[in-house]
């Protein structure tokens, strides 16, 4: 059964190997054929404004990125990262070519001088500063004597040239960004002109949504009128049942029973002696290291531990136990454990605070310290006397005077065991009772020390066994997943959920999956499922079982979304509230047209409200939220003027301007214009690239290869 289980676990790998072999056999004729056409078929991973990004170069970039980021980034994340970089590079390079932007060697040197590359030691002179001649000599030396490093530099040089072109391009754009004095004045006025008003608001919530009928054609018309709001990429909806490979209750009990049996002595037959031997258990063994090597998933840890270093589930209990006492079995995470206290050291860990007073030349002293050793000693003695006063807080004294990195924490060094600190420091802390304040000298400086606390440390031996699913559990899981897969395959697609509920399985939906995604909530990284969902041969309603992390997933494709405008049923979540708001506004305006403000308030059971010091830059009404149209209308009105009914963001308004205050004149608006210009320039890089990308015709072919 174990052999069959191993074969079953490796089924996917075997199929993949066989498939690759068949694929290699089939395509071998293609490469030798005259029909290959120079490798153009499927040779690009993307096309940008008619320009191809070759797959071979793309793969090289992915490999380079993989070496740079290591296993912390998944393969799909690497592909997406490199794709974004290459699309950006292609779009901007087209701009560089159109504008004739290029960089010369002196511009490359200047870029290196003003970037992180200037910090490379090989490019610096004896003063630690970037030097152009040293830089050029280093590159020449690499070329002659270190070809691997020179090749790496050539790749860096490509990046430098690209970055230098981008800097030049965006600086050109920023050079055209400006703000006039009139714009500066407008910006000032929008923030400082103020208006007070009285208003009545009839909220849209006063009309129930259920009274507003919206048809599918109404939604379609709204989509057609607001196309920018309803663009969508190609996407998929799936749902799945996850059969997780986890230990059963029987598996847990089995591990608990097995670990309990190891506590006491047992009798085993010795073939060599032809007699029974008594095997000492965990409780009585005289060689704990050997016992745990043989019976435990964790070895004997001889390090003494304070309470904070012990597992939280047993820390309190273990610290109260005597040497030789045993606790357990207990569950800690995904393991059953039994712990035995092997030894105890009273006051084996100390907690202390200190004030470090260092001198020029002391070990690790800050370069800004200029006091002599004698001056440091005198200052330390002064602080010692101060620290011993009853009304002085040691933490405040340390925070204000210590030269050490612990100063912001009031000198607190936390808990530490013997041998961690410098000898003089260590001897003082472990040789004096809690509360003692004294002075010691080390190679780091003079220390005014306060012993804050002491705790015992214990040596603990722990017999541990991981709780893992048994072979029987794994086989049962495989059977259950297969049975469910067969049941839903034989049923109508819509019965997927009903059949799951009959077996008390949980159906988990995942909506709007993009073509190059890989992480699925509840399953983790599952690129194969995403690829299957986007395969042209996979239809809505299709079902497939996948081997996933720690188990199986039976997956059903439930919906496909085409690139373009949303269908009415997909857009309804956004379109319905907007349409209802428009209809409600029409009803409210029709019902209250011609009425005075007081009458509107009375008829709709709402109160008159006031708002003061409103500005165009912050058009927020108390209790109603942002209402830019309503506040803007108030600024366009005269004092004591009353408006018509206005369609706001949260309701229908009628307003009356009660006061208007113009901002004080400023002699020169250049500061405000400069702030606008600086703010706009800071957005250039992102805004310009995004605009170019939106305009570009990009054909994404990643899914063909990954």
């Amino acid at each position: 059964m174990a052999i069959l289980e191993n074969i079953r676990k490796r089924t996917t790998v075997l199929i993949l190997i066989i498939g690759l072999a068949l694929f290699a056999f089939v395509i071998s004729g293609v490469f030798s054929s005259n029909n290959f056409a120079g490798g153009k078929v499927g040779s690009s991973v993307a096309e940008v404004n008619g320009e191809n990004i070759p797959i071979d170069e793309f793969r090289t970039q992915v490999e380079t990125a993989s070496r740079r980021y290591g296993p912390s980034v998944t393969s799909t994340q690497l592909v997406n990262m490199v794709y974004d970089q290459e699309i950006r590079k292609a779009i901007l390079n087209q701009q560089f070519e159109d504008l004739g932007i290029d960089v010369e060697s002196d511009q490359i040197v200047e870029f290196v001088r003003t970037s992180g590359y200037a910090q490379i030691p090989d490019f610096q002179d004896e003063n630690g500063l970037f030097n152009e001649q040293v830089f050029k000599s280093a590159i020449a030396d690499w070329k002659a004597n270190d070809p691997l490093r020179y090749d790496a530099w050539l790749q860096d040089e490509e990046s430098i040239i690209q970055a230098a072109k981008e800097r030049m391009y965006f600086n050109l754009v920023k050079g055209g960004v400006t703000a006039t004095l009139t714009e500066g004045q407008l910006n000032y006025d929008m923030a400082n002109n103020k208006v007070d008003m009285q208003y009545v608001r009839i909220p849209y919530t006063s009309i129930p949504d259920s009274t507003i009928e919206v048809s599918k054609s109404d939604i379609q018309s709204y989509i057609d009128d607001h196309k920018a709001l309803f663009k969508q990429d190609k996407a998929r909806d799936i749902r799945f049942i996850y059969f997780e490979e986890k230990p059963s209750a029987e598996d847990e009990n089995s591990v608990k029973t097995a670990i309990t049996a190891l506590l006491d002595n047992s009798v085993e037959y010795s073939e060599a002696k032809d007699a029974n031997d008594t095997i000492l258990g965990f409780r009585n063994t005289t060689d704990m290291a050997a016992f745990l090597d043989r019976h435990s998933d964790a070895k004997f840890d001889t390090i003494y531990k304070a309470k904070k270093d012990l597992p939280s589930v047993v820390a309190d209990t273990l610290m109260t136990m005597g040497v030789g006492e045993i606790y357990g079995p207990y569950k800690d995470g995904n393991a059953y454990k039994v712990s035995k206290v092997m030894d105890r050291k009273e006051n084996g860990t100390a907690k202390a605070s200190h004030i470090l007073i260092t001198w020029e030349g002391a070990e690790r002293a800050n370069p800004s310290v200029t006091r002599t050793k004698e001056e440091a000693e005198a200052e330390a003695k002064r602080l010692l006397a101060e620290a011993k006063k009853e009304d002085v807080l040691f933490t405040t004294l340390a925070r204000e005077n210590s030269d050490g990195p612990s100063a912001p924490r009031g000198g607190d060094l936390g808990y530490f065991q013997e041998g961690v600190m410098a000898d003089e420091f260590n001897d003082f802390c472990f040789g004096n009772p809690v509360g003692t304040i004294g002075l010691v000298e080390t190679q780091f400086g003079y220390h005014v020390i306060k012993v804050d606390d002491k705790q015992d440390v214990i040596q603990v031996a722990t017999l541990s066994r991981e709780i893992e699913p048994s072979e029987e559990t794994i086989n049962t899981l495989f059977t259950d997943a297969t049975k469910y897969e067969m049941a839903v395959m034989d049923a109508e697609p819509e019965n997927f959920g009903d059949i799951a509920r009959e077996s008390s399985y949980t159906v988990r939906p995942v909506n709007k999956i993009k073509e190059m995604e890989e992480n699925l909530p509840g399953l983790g990284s599952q690129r194969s499922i995403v690829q299957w969902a986007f395969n042209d041969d996979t239809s809505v309603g299709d079902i497939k079982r996948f081997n996933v992390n720690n188990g199986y997933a039976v997956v059903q494709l439930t919906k496909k979304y085409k690139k373009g405008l949303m269908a009415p049923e997909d857009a309804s979540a956004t379109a319905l509230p907007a349409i209802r708001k428009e209809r409600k506004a029409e009803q409210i305006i029709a019902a209250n047209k011609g009425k005075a403000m007081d009458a509107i308030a009375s008829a709709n059971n709402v109160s008159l409200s006031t708002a003061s010091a409103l500005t165009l830059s912050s058009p927020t009404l108390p209790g109603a939220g942002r209402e830019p149209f309503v506040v803007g209308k108030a600024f366009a009105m005269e004092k004591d003027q009353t408006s018509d009914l206005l369609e706001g963001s949260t309701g229908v308004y009628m307003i009356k301007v009660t006061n208007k205050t113009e901002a004080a004149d400023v002699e020169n608006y250049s500061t405000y214009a400069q702030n606008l210009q600086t703010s706009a320039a800071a957005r250039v890089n992102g805004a310009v690239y995004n605009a170019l990308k939106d305009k570009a015709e990009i054909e994404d072919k990643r899914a063909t290869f990954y």
Side-chain angles (χ1 to χ4, degrees):
M1 184 63 74
I3 295 174
L4 290 174
E5 172 60 19
N6 288 333
I7 292 173
R8 179 180 64 75
K9 284 188 173 181
R10 291 163 175 78
T11 299
T12 303
V13 178
L14 290 173
I15 292 173
L16 179 60
I17 292 170
I18 294 169
L20 287 173
L22 289 172
F23 179 70
F25 174 79
V26 171
I27 68 170
S28 63
V30 176
F31 280 94
S32 60
S33 168
N34 294 327
N35 296 327
F36 186 58
K40 292 183 179 179
V41 177
S43 61
S44 64
V45 72
E47 189 176 297
V48 181
N49 295 324
E51 178 183 323
N52 287 328
I53 298 177
I55 183 60
D56 292 339
E57 293 179 13
F58 185 85
R59 283 172 173 154
T60 300
Q61 294 295 329
V62 172
E63 289 173 8
T64 302
S66 178
R67 289 192 295 271
R68 182 183 303 129
Y69 294 103
S72 61
V73 180
T74 68
S75 58
T76 304
Q77 288 174 327
L78 286 171
V79 168
N80 294 340
M81 185 187 307
V82 173
Y83 175 82
D84 290 340
Q85 292 171 355
E86 293 301 301
I87 292 295
R88 175 186 175 88
K89 184 178 176 181
I91 289 173
L92 291 177
N93 280 346
Q94 290 170 1
Q95 292 292 304
F96 302 158
E97 186 175 348
D98 290 344
L99 297 172
I101 292 177
D102 204 352
V103 293
E104 303 295 335
S105 60
D106 59 332
Q107 292 170 305
I108 295 175
V109 171
E110 185 58 29
F111 184 90
V112 172
R113 186 195 307 278
T114 56
S115 68
Y117 289 98
Q119 303 305 314
I120 297 176
D122 290 335
F123 299 163
Q124 296 174 343
D125 59 21
E126 63 275 6
N127 297 317
L129 301 174
F130 175 81
N131 184 289
E132 181 178 343
Q133 295 305 317
V134 174
F135 162 67
K136 291 180 178 179
S137 296
I139 302 302
D141 181 64
W142 294 349
K143 184 177 182 180
N145 303 310
D146 194 345
L148 290 178
R149 194 169 185 184
Y150 180 69
D151 288 342
W153 168 254
L154 290 180
Q155 293 183 9
D156 285 344
E157 194 174 66
E158 287 185 17
S159 300
I160 290 171
I161 292 172
Q162 182 70 19
K165 288 180 180 179
E166 289 189 17
R167 179 188 287 183
M168 187 183 302
Y169 173 74
F170 287 123
N171 283 343
L172 286 172
V173 177
K174 289 176 184 178
V177 174
T178 185
T180 65
L181 292 178
T182 301
E183 289 172 320
Q185 181 178 359
L186 176 62
N187 187 52
Y188 170 79
D189 289 343
M190 287 181 65
N192 294 281
N193 286 344
K194 294 180 174 59
V195 66
D196 301 341
M197 69 180 190
Q198 185 181 45
Y199 67 92
V200 61
R201 178 179 73 114
I202 309 162
Y204 295 128
T205 53
S206 63
I207 299 177
D209 288 349
S210 58
T211 63
I212 307 296
E213 294 186 4
V214 180
S215 66
K216 184 176 180 179
S217 61
D218 292 333
I219 297 175
Q220 185 62 60
S221 297
Y222 190 85
I223 294 171
D224 294 337
D225 293 338
H226 304 82
K227 291 181 179 179
L229 297 177
F230 297 100
K231 289 181 179 179
Q232 67 177 9
D233 293 324
K234 187 160 61 170
R236 298 289 186 267
D237 289 351
I238 64 169
R239 56 181 175 175
F240 66 89
I241 307 295
Y242 179 31
F243 294 85
E244 185 178 4
E245 198 172 89
K246 61 182 180 180
S248 64
E250 291 77 12
D251 295 334
E252 286 201 20
N253 290 331
S254 176
V255 173
K256 186 176 181 180
T257 300
I259 206 170
T260 302
L262 291 169
L263 295 181
D264 296 313
N265 300 345
S266 61
V267 177
E268 290 184 7
Y269 172 73
S270 173
E271 190 173 330
K273 297 179 181 179
D274 192 22
N276 290 333
D277 268 355
T278 298
I279 309 299
L280 298 180
F282 179 73
R283 194 186 307 275
N284 303 314
T285 183
T286 56
D287 189 346
M288 183 59 75
F291 183 90
L292 294 182
D293 280 346
R294 181 180 179 188
H295 298 290
S296 176
D297 291 335
K299 294 183 179 297
F300 181 32
D301 186 354
T302 58
I303 296 175
Y304 285 76
K305 290 182 171 60
K307 179 180 175 180
K308 67 181 180 63
D309 301 317
L310 296 169
S312 58
V313 293
V314 290
D316 289 332
T317 301
L318 293 179
M319 291 305 297
T320 61
M321 288 166 48
V323 174
E325 289 188 306
I326 288 176
Y327 178 74
Y330 62 90
K331 191 175 179 182
D332 182 19
N334 196 38
Y336 267 112
K337 298 179 179 179
V338 179
S339 293
K340 179 179 181 179
V341 178
M342 303 296 291
D343 195 15
R344 176 185 294 272
K345 291 182 180 178
E346 292 187 1
N347 297 329
T349 181
K351 182 176 184 291
S353 302
H354 79 141
I355 304 170
L356 173 63
I357 304 300
T358 189
W359 60 82
E360 185 176 10
E363 190 171 330
R364 300 182 192 172
N366 192 305
S368 63
V369 175
T370 58
R371 70 169 70 91
T372 64
K373 184 176 181 180
E374 291 74 18
E375 290 171 338
E377 183 179 13
E379 175 65 6
K381 288 180 178 178
R382 183 189 72 80
L383 290 169
L384 174 64
E386 191 73 16
K388 288 185 174 182
K389 294 179 180 178
E390 291 186 5
D391 57 343
V392 171
L393 288 175
F394 192 91
T395 54
T396 302
L397 207 61
R399 191 177 295 115
E400 294 176 352
N401 296 278
S402 180
D403 294 329
S406 64
R409 304 189 300 273
D412 185 8
L413 297 171
Y415 285 93
F416 50 89
Q417 294 190 35
E418 286 199 71
V420 173
M421 298 296 186
D423 292 342
E424 300 85 355
F425 198 104
N426 180 88
D427 293 345
F428 181 88
C429 293
F430 287 97
N432 289 285
V434 173
T436 302
I437 298 175
L439 178 66
V440 301
E441 177 189 346
T442 71
Q443 67 270 35
F444 305 107
Y446 289 101
H447 305 259
V448 179
I449 305 172
K450 180 184 177 187
V451 182
D452 295 319
D453 189 24
K454 291 186 179 181
Q455 292 183 358
D456 292 354
V457 291
I458 58 176
Q459 185 187 62
V460 180
T462 298
L463 172 62
S464 176
R465 286 281 181 91
E466 292 292 322
I467 305 169
E468 296 179 337
S470 63
E471 184 176 330
E472 181 181 354
T473 298
I474 292 172
N475 290 337
T476 300
L477 183 75
F478 176 68
T479 301
D480 291 344
T482 304
K483 284 182 178 178
Y484 178 77
E485 179 190 17
M486 294 173 64
V488 293
M489 292 283 280
D490 292 339
E492 295 297 321
E494 59 269 19
N495 292 335
F496 187 93
D498 295 334
I499 297 172
R501 281 186 287 274
E502 289 174 4
S503 300
S504 300
Y505 297 145
T506 301
V507 179
R508 306 185 191 186
V510 184
N511 297 328
K512 296 291 182 71
I513 303 168
K514 300 296 177 59
E515 194 169 17
M516 285 307 296
E517 286 185 14
E518 64 174 339
N519 287 314
L520 301 179
L523 291 178
S525 179
Q526 297 298 333
R527 183 68 189 141
S528 59
I529 295 178
V530 177
Q531 288 174 321
W532 169 79
F534 279 91
N535 193 310
D536 291 338
D537 295 333
T538 305
S539 303
V540 171
D542 283 359
I543 294 165
K544 186 175 180 179
R545 174 169 57 85
F546 292 86
N547 291 355
V548 297
N549 303 328
N550 299 318
Y552 310 93
V554 178
V555 185
Q556 183 182 51
L557 178 64
T558 56
K559 193 166 188 176
K560 291 185 176 184
Y561 300 89
K562 293 181 179 179
K563 184 175 182 178
L565 288 178
M566 294 181 183
E569 54 269 28
D570 300 326
S572 60
T574 302
L576 270 177
I579 296 171
R580 285 172 179 153
K581 189 171 79 170
E582 289 180 355
R583 303 268 176 91
K584 290 178 182 181
E586 291 172 359
Q587 288 186 21
I588 293 171
I589 291 173
N592 294 277
K593 194 170 184 179
K595 294 180 181 178
M597 192 179 294
D598 291 343
I600 291 175
S602 177
N604 292 275
N605 197 28
V606 293
S607 58
L608 291 175
S609 301
T610 59
S612 58
L614 298 172
T615 67
L616 286 171
S617 61
S618 182
T620 301
L621 296 179
R626 284 182 61 84
E627 289 289 359
F629 174 74
V630 175
V631 175
K633 181 68 175 178
F635 273 96
M637 295 164 56
E638 299 295 330
K639 182 182 177 182
D640 297 326
Q641 184 179 353
T642 302
S643 72
D644 296 328
L645 290 164
L646 307 174
E647 185 178 338
S649 298
T650 62
V652 172
Y653 291 79
M654 180 175 284
I655 64 175
K656 179 181 179 180
V657 175
T658 56
N659 191 39
K660 297 181 78 173
T661 306
E662 291 189 4
D665 289 335
V666 176
E667 185 175 338
N668 193 323
Y669 293 96
S670 58
T671 300
Y672 301 96
Q674 183 61 45
N675 289 341
L676 282 177
Q677 182 174 330
T678 301
S679 177
R683 298 192 299 270
V684 160
N685 291 28
V688 169
Y689 172 68
N690 289 333
L692 292 171
K693 186 179 178 182
D694 289 341
K695 184 182 177 182
E697 294 181 5
I698 301 173
E699 186 177 354
D700 184 355
K701 304 177 185 178
R702 278 175 293 174
T704 306
F705 303 96
Y706 298 98

